[in-house]
Amino acid sequence: RKEVEQDPGPFNVPEGATVAFNCTYSNSASQSFFWYRQDCRKEPKLLMSVYSSGNEDGRFTAQLNRASQYISLLIRDSKLSDSATYLCVVNNNNAGNMLTFGGGTRLMVKP
Amino acid sequence: EAQVTQNPRYLITVTGKKLTVTCSQNMNHEYMSWYRQDPGLGLRQIYYSMNVEVTDKGDVPEGYKVSRKEKRNFPLILESPSPNQTSLYFCASSSTGGYEYTEAFFGQGTRLTVV
């Protein structure tokens, strides 16, 4: 079983749609959680951290459920520029700041 | 500008010919790491370094070496590349972990093909 699992997609949605991605992680000792965005053939870049209380940044909302070991990302009012791969990332701070990546979920927003 | 710089961006080489991919960061970060990214497997950590002269294996270290003689540089060495090391490689850096959130900054990637 992979440490961080995501549905690879692709998720094909029209502009303006709301889309949600889920991610599960297996290491209950994980301390920090993130969503990174990766455009095709480019490097991953931090989209947002995920806090236990849930957090929002504009059209993006991230949620963490530690009991279920589950992380989500909600994108409202999708834009064409949101098309990318979204990587769920877990940081087990006890393991030397190692980041463990999910395989990514590909989003394609169409006009 | 804060950045992580990898070189080369693209490399085609032959089996067994030693190569080095360089990585340099200008953010004075303690922590640096190397990942490879393959279709269907995602990003997997090869090696990491928590500070100068401190390196450790990640998930897939076989066939790779690293060194950390200076804080800013963390080269990846393939002593005898093989075709299964054909991949997209990323270097990343961040400030020291612990229990604090630390964003990882990635280089632009090196696409390596071993024939």
Side-chain angles (χ1 to χ4, degrees):
Chain A
R1 183 186 169 194
K2 289 183 183 176
E3 279 198 55
V4 181
E5 295 211 57
Q6 295 181 249
D7 180 343
F11 284 56
N12 295 300
V13 303
E15 268 187 295
T18 296
V19 61
F21 306 138
N22 301 322
C23 166
T24 57
Y25 62 95
S26 60
N27 187 345
S28 59
S30 298
Q31 299 285 341
S32 307
F33 309 90
F34 312 94
W35 284 100
Y36 276 71
R37 170 189 169 134
Q38 186 175 25
D39 293 298
C40 189
R41 298 180 183 273
K42 297 284 184 75
E43 72 274 23
K45 292 184 179 178
L46 179 68
L47 177 67
M48 61 195 301
S49 306
V50 187
Y51 302 123
S52 297
S53 53
N55 49 299
E56 190 173 305
D57 183 1
R59 297 181 292 109
F60 299 84
T61 301
Q63 300 257 337
L64 168 65
N65 183 322
R66 284 189 186 269
S68 303
Q69 295 180 205
Y70 169 98
I71 304 158
S72 66
L73 176 68
L74 182 78
I75 305 176
R76 289 180 299 279
D77 188 23
S78 300
K79 311 289 185 195
L80 295 176
S81 57
D82 293 334
S83 298
T85 296
Y86 291 83
L87 303 169
C88 176
V89 185
V90 172
N91 182 348
N92 179 355
N93 293 85
N94 291 327
N97 204 28
M98 179 185 287
L99 294 179
T100 302
F101 287 78
T105 298
R106 189 167 171 216
L107 171 66
M108 298 180 69
V109 181
K110 305 208 180 248
Chain B
E1 180 190 354
Q3 59 184 8
V4 179
T5 304
Q6 288 178 233
N7 279 297
R9 295 285 311 281
Y10 303 92
L11 179 61
I12 301 174
T13 190
V14 296
T15 299
K17 185 177 180 182
K18 180 179 178 180
L19 67 92
T20 299
V21 184
T22 63
C23 174
S24 180
Q25 50 96 3
N26 63 1
M27 294 168 279
N28 201 36
H29 284 161
E30 296 86 4
Y31 187 88
M32 297 185 74
S33 56
W34 276 102
Y35 296 85
R36 61 178 288 174
Q37 187 173 32
D38 303 288
L41 296 175
L43 277 150
R44 294 177 293 166
Q45 192 177 61
I46 302 170
Y47 267 94
Y48 65 94
S49 169
M50 296 188 73
N51 216 322
V52 175
E53 303 292 2
V54 181
T55 63
D56 211 341
K57 296 177 181 179
D59 293 324
V60 288
E62 294 77 22
Y64 304 94
K65 286 174 58 176
V66 292
S67 68
R68 189 89 182 274
K69 294 187 171 65
E70 306 165 281
K71 199 171 188 179
R72 63 182 290 124
N73 295 323
F74 190 45
L76 179 70
I77 303 153
L78 284 72
E79 294 270 4
S80 183
S82 62
N84 65 11
Q85 292 178 297
T86 292
S87 188
L88 177 59
Y89 291 87
F90 288 104
C91 178
S93 77
S94 60
S95 55
T96 304
Y99 290 94
E100 299 170 0
Y101 151 63
T102 53
E103 177 182 355
F105 294 85
F106 286 81
Q108 292 180 292
T110 296
R111 186 165 291 280
L112 172 66
T113 302
V114 184
V115 298

